[in-house]
Structure formats: structure tokens, C-alpha cells
Amino acid sequence: MLKRVWMAAWTGVTLASLPALAVEASGPPPPKDSPVMAIPPLPPSAGQWKIESKASRAPIAPRRYVVERSGVFDGRKMHYSVTAEDIVISDANGTPKGSIFSFTYKSPAPAGAQRPVVFIFNGGPGSASTWLHMGVIGPRRADFTDVNPSQVPPFHVVDNPNSLISEADLVFIDPIGTGFSRYWGEGRPEDFYGAEEDAASVARFIQSWLRRHHRWNSPKFLLGESYGTYRANMLSRRLMGGVLDGTLKGISLNGVILVGGDGGLARPEGNDKFLPTFTTMAATAWYHARADRQGREFDSFIAQAERFARDELVPALNRWDSLTDTQKAQLAVKHAGFTGLSVDYLLSKGLRIMPSDFGSALLADQGKTIGHYDSRYVLPTAGSLGDPVADDGAMGQYSAAFIGAFNNYIRDDLGIDIDDDYVNIDFLNVNFPWRNPPYAPGVPAPGSDPGADIAAAMRRNPDLQLMTIEGWFDLFGAVGSAKFGVAQRQLPQDRVIAKAYWSGHMAYVGQAGVQMAKDLREFIRTASKGRQK
């Protein structure tokens, strides 16, 4: 789920307007503004969950659970199997270092054919795949009420008629340190908790899964959310391999799907970072009836907000010191009409409004703070302990429903009787020690450039398709970031599909998930064909 985000971009960008992209050894530092960057001092209660990183762990004997199920998906009754299993991850010398636990959903293919397979993971980097599993893709999902969910049990699991099982077999991957996946034996945190180490372990998992399930000839897709978009872009190059990857693995992909992030494609400079965040703030102000709608429909309102930010706001910020007080005030009035913030507040910030400023200011007169993960969600400002996740308006409200439903599903429906916690997100032991100082946890390590990886993969593979998915109310991965990155990296526009939905960081929450699933099914059908041989 989580990602340390510095991305910013623009939906109205053209390639000619972009500075030449210098491929640096590392990305720009994330903004200090981000709530997830503002981690308060950890209390003693957090330390009780600290794992001693130098202590050895007993090996886990591989576990495997198989059940048969049926359901109606995309209007068709289908039978499918669920295989929940460990796959041992070894180093280049063949020494076992740990195991990745996954959930595989397979349905019989027509005679002589192989169904597409989608490898799915969330972000964090220390997050399990709970969210995508229970939100939109799996055959069963959390019964969730959007925006105003219940915070108390019982939580329910229901059939998901929109599941992608109708088009492809599904493999939900929990990287080591999440779910039931663990390092053990000679394995240590430093073998897995870094951008390159993480990508290598997931690549080894995918290779092993293809061998075990005899699926080398299936159309293959990666679907990553949040930090998982970085992982997906890195894997797109590393699965194929070559001299620069040490070995030629030859695993080519039909498609890569990025949800709630651009996977390192966008590298904006200077005041350009205010472009997509402005659009997201305008959408949020429109939703909460704080913007000056002037009878405009949402699409028209957003288009005008985009033009204002591109043609007036950013050029003005670039020459701010030369503007007169009257000019600044006129800009502030226009800004306020789109974002709902007061003119005085805007001028006090020099019109440079970061998402955390906006989140605390928009509904301050009501004593409320909006969610960073989904700005439709609100919680009272009073009483917050400042936890950037548990006290977030969105994550603080929908986590219990997803996690409660998922644990009920895997233990009581699938019969997985593992006597261990299914780790949904581990901040303390995975995110915080992620090996890429001096950058924040979740930002790829120096030397890694996931945006360049997907660009290289699309150059090498003329059939590779890319799909980007964003939510209008995501203050982490604003709508337009991916489009900016696609132009900046000069990706082939005819092989990129961009979608934005009426949702947040988890762009599938609510009715948006129905349309997202429909678009994903179409993408998989089209990309699975490739060029006619």
C-alpha cells in the first residue's frame, strides 16, 4: 500500500515542453511535506514488535493448501482452484534464504491453450497483497461501504463477479516480510529489504512459479500498486535479463499495470511539482463543495483547473519575486476558486501549497482533516496522535474492514491454519530499514531507475503494453503524474493506456472498482494477443 512519494507531473504536458531527462544515479529526494515522511518518535509499544535482525530463524517447511471453488464472473459460471503455497527463495549459490507465500487462482484453459497469468503485488514496500486481493481482483472481496465504512466486526466476504479470474489466472505475491513470507536459515533482512534485493527475490519467485506450474508459454502480466509500481517497472527489465542483469532469463511480458503510482517514470523539476497536485486538490475541493463550481460539471471544472495551473500558476511561481502585490492577490483569488482555500492562507504560503497543507486546511473550519490516501475520507482533527497511517482519514477507516475480511477468508474459507500472523504492513522491520540511505524508505536505491527500466523493456519488446491507473482523490500519486512520466521517458504513446477513476490511492475502492475491472479485462484480452504471428 504505502509509498514515499515525491512525484509530481502534469496532464497537459507535451514532450517539447520538457527539459531533457538526465538519467541520474538516484531520484530526487522526497518532499519533507509528505505525512508519511513525518514519522513521530516511536513509543515503547512499537518497539515490542522489533525483530532482531541478526538472529537466525529455523527453516520453514514448505506449506501448501489447495481447494476447489466455483463462481460467476463476467456473467459466466466458472470453476477454479486456489493454491496457497510457499516457494523457497535461494541465492545464486542455491542456498535457501527464505520463502515467499502466494495465492494462485487457476481456471481450466481450453484444450491446447494456456490462459494469461497476472502476477500481483501491493507496495509499502512492506505491504502484503491484501488490498488488491480483497479489493477488486480476487474471486472473493471484502464487503465494503465506500467513504463511510463500518469500523467494527463482523466484516463480510462476498463473491466478486468482476474478478479478473474471468480472463486470467491470478498470482498474489507477498514479498518477504509480509503475509506469511519470511527470511529464514541463512537469510537476513539485508538479503531482501532493498529495491534491488526485493526485485531479485520476486524475480526468483516468478521463475520458480512458472517452472512449478508449467506456464512458460502463458501471456504474462505484472500488476503493482503504490511502491509495487516501482517493483513492476524494475521487474519488467530484470525478468528478461541480459548482460547488465547478469543472466539472460528470457521472461518477456505482455503487459505491465501500474496502480496508484507512476513507478518512477516522472521526474519533475522546480515548480512543476505543483501541477498534478493542484488538479487533485481541485478535485477534492469540488467533491467537498468548497470550490467555486459555477454550474460546471466535474470534467469541465478540472480542465479549467489544469489550464490555470499550467498557464498561470506555475509561470507565476517561477517569477514570484517580480510580481506585484496586486498580481499575487489576483492569482490567489483564482487559486481559491479551484482549491477552496482562503486567499489569506494562500498568500501566506506564497501559493506553494503542498498536499499536507491542503489536507489540514481545507476543512479546518469544521474541525476535520481529509485523508491523504483518499481525500474523500475525513476524520476529526482533534484527538489525532499524528500516526501517518492509523490516523489518516482513509487508511484509518478502511484498514480494519479489509484486514478483518481477509483473515476470515483465508482461515475460515480456504482453511489455511498457519499459526502465525499474516503481516499486512510492517513499517518497523521492513519499511524503516529499507536499504537505500539517505533517501526515504520506499524510494529506489541509488543506481536504480525504475522509469528507465520500463522504457528499456518497451524498447526491447515491441508488444509490451503499459496501463496506468490513478484515482482522482489520491494525494500521493496525483492524476497526471504517469502521463508526465510517459512523455518525459518518450514511451510509445500507442502502447500506453491511462485511466483515472472516482477513487483514491486504492483506485478500485467503491463503484470505481467495477469500471476498473472492466478496463483491466479488456487490457488483458488485447495485450494477450500480441502481434499476429
Side-chain angles (χ1 to χ4, degrees):
M1 270 297 293
L2 291 177
K3 180 178 69 172
R4 270 42 172 186
V5 175
W6 68 92
M7 68 184 76
W10 182 236
T11 57
V13 75
T14 62
L15 184 59
S17 69
L18 293 172
L21 178 66
V23 179
E24 305 165 355
S26 60
K32 296 178 181 178
D33 156 86
S34 172
V36 181
M37 294 298 299
I39 306 295
L42 297 181
S45 58
Q48 305 304 312
W49 299 94
K50 177 68 176 174
I51 296 171
E52 175 50 58
S53 62
K54 295 181 179 179
S56 61
R57 289 174 168 177
I60 293 175
R63 302 157 293 195
R64 197 165 192 261
Y65 304 83
V66 181
V67 297
E68 301 292 329
R69 293 289 185 269
S70 64
V72 177
F73 308 104
D74 195 25
R76 293 180 290 129
K77 183 168 184 177
M78 300 176 60
H79 295 278
Y80 64 93
S81 65
V82 189
T83 302
E85 62 182 342
D86 287 296
I87 286 183
V88 174
I89 305 300
S90 300
D91 64 15
N93 294 320
T95 302
K97 295 281 188 167
S99 52
I100 288 181
F101 196 88
S102 65
F103 298 83
T104 295
Y105 295 85
K106 294 196 296 186
S107 186
Q114 287 200 4
R115 278 163 53 88
V117 57
V118 185
F119 296 98
I120 303 150
F121 35 78
N122 273 88
S127 175
S129 59
T130 317
W131 320 97
L132 288 166
H133 201 155
M134 281 283 99
V136 65
I137 295 176
R140 303 270 284 167
R141 66 171 181 83
D143 189 10
F144 185 79
T145 301
D146 196 14
V147 183
N148 295 300
S150 171
Q151 292 295 289
V152 296
F155 302 117
H156 302 288
V157 179
V158 296
D159 289 337
N160 178 18
N162 302 299
S163 171
L164 298 191
I165 191 68
S166 64
E167 298 299 327
D169 292 343
L170 312 172
V171 184
F172 293 91
I173 302 171
D174 294 330
I176 288 184
T178 75
F180 293 128
S181 304
R182 305 286 185 267
Y183 64 82
W184 43 256
E186 295 188 26
R188 294 295 183 270
E190 57 268 24
D191 296 325
F192 301 101
Y193 301 160
E196 292 294 342
E197 295 82 359
D198 170 79
S201 67
V202 176
R204 287 190 168 102
F205 167 87
I206 291 174
Q207 286 179 288
S208 297
W209 189 95
L210 293 172
R211 288 197 305 270
R212 178 176 293 190
H213 293 269
H214 304 279
R215 299 299 291 275
W216 280 89
N217 209 32
S218 291
K220 301 174 187 65
F221 295 81
L222 301 177
L223 193 161
E225 180 179 350
S226 197
Y227 179 81
T229 64
Y230 290 88
R231 183 182 290 127
N233 282 350
M234 294 177 74
L235 285 169
S236 69
R237 192 196 89 191
R238 287 156 182 77
L239 284 172
M240 184 64 185
V243 174
L244 299 181
D245 289 293
T247 61
L248 182 63
K249 302 168 188 68
I251 301 174
S252 63
L253 300 170
N254 294 67
V256 173
I257 302 161
L258 310 179
V259 180
D262 66 26
L265 280 169
R267 285 187 171 182
E269 296 180 355
N271 291 311
D272 281 353
K273 66 177 176 286
F274 295 106
L275 291 169
T277 53
F278 183 86
T279 311
T280 300
M281 289 188 289
T284 303
W286 194 93
Y287 177 85
H288 289 289
R290 288 303 181 100
D292 182 6
R293 295 185 181 182
Q294 297 181 2
R296 294 169 289 193
E297 295 297 324
F298 179 77
D299 290 346
S300 174
F301 172 79
I302 287 296
Q304 292 180 36
E306 289 177 325
R307 286 195 295 272
F308 167 73
R310 180 187 65 231
D311 299 339
E312 298 185 59
L313 176 61
V314 169
L317 295 179
N318 289 337
R319 54 186 178 87
W320 186 253
D321 291 340
S322 68
L323 298 180
T324 66
D325 289 345
T326 299
Q327 289 172 320
K328 292 177 181 179
Q330 289 172 342
L331 283 166
V333 169
K334 289 185 179 182
H335 195 303
F338 288 113
T339 61
L341 302 177
S342 74
V343 170
D344 288 344
Y345 179 76
L346 290 169
L347 290 172
S348 73
K349 292 286 186 177
L351 272 64
R352 289 173 169 85
I353 306 299
M354 298 298 287
S356 63
D357 298 326
F358 181 75
S360 59
L362 181 67
L363 302 179
D365 60 333
Q366 299 179 10
K368 298 176 181 178
T369 301
I370 63 174
H372 213 76
Y373 294 88
D374 190 325
S375 57
R376 297 173 300 162
Y377 289 71
V378 299
L379 280 177
T381 301
S384 171
L385 295 178
D387 189 302
V389 174
D391 287 320
D392 179 78
M395 278 292 286
Q397 293 191 68
Y398 54 51
S399 291
F402 272 78
I403 294 171
F406 185 74
N407 274 280
N408 177 55
Y409 168 60
I410 63 172
R411 297 182 188 279
D412 298 337
D413 186 348
L414 300 184
I416 297 174
D417 59 355
I418 294 174
D419 187 19
D420 192 6
D421 290 332
Y422 183 88
V423 178
N424 294 280
I425 306 178
D426 192 332
F427 307 102
L428 185 65
N429 299 294
V430 182
N431 283 22
F432 293 168
W434 198 255
R435 296 197 319 123
N436 53 338
Y439 305 103
V443 177
S448 299
D449 186 352
D453 290 334
I454 186 65
M458 295 186 77
R459 173 189 174 274
R460 296 171 182 178
N461 178 0
D463 288 326
L464 177 58
Q465 306 283 318
L466 177 66
M467 185 177 192
T468 67
I469 292 174
E470 297 164 318
W472 277 112
F473 306 102
D474 181 6
L475 288 171
F476 275 116
V479 171
S481 295
K483 186 172 183 178
F484 183 99
V486 166
Q488 196 172 32
R489 301 286 182 170
Q490 301 183 46
L491 301 188
Q493 301 278 348
D494 61 336
R495 290 192 278 139
V496 179
I497 295 175
K499 297 289 183 180
Y501 302 107
W502 194 258
S503 195
H505 195 55
M506 292 164 58
Y508 41 86
V509 169
Q511 283 300 112
V514 177
Q515 184 61 48
M516 176 175 161
K518 180 180 179 181
D519 292 338
L520 284 170
R521 289 195 298 269
E522 178 61 28
F523 179 77
I524 291 170
R525 280 195 293 265
T526 301
S528 293
K529 297 174 183 177
R531 286 173 294 176
Q532 296 301 312
K533 304 297 191 292

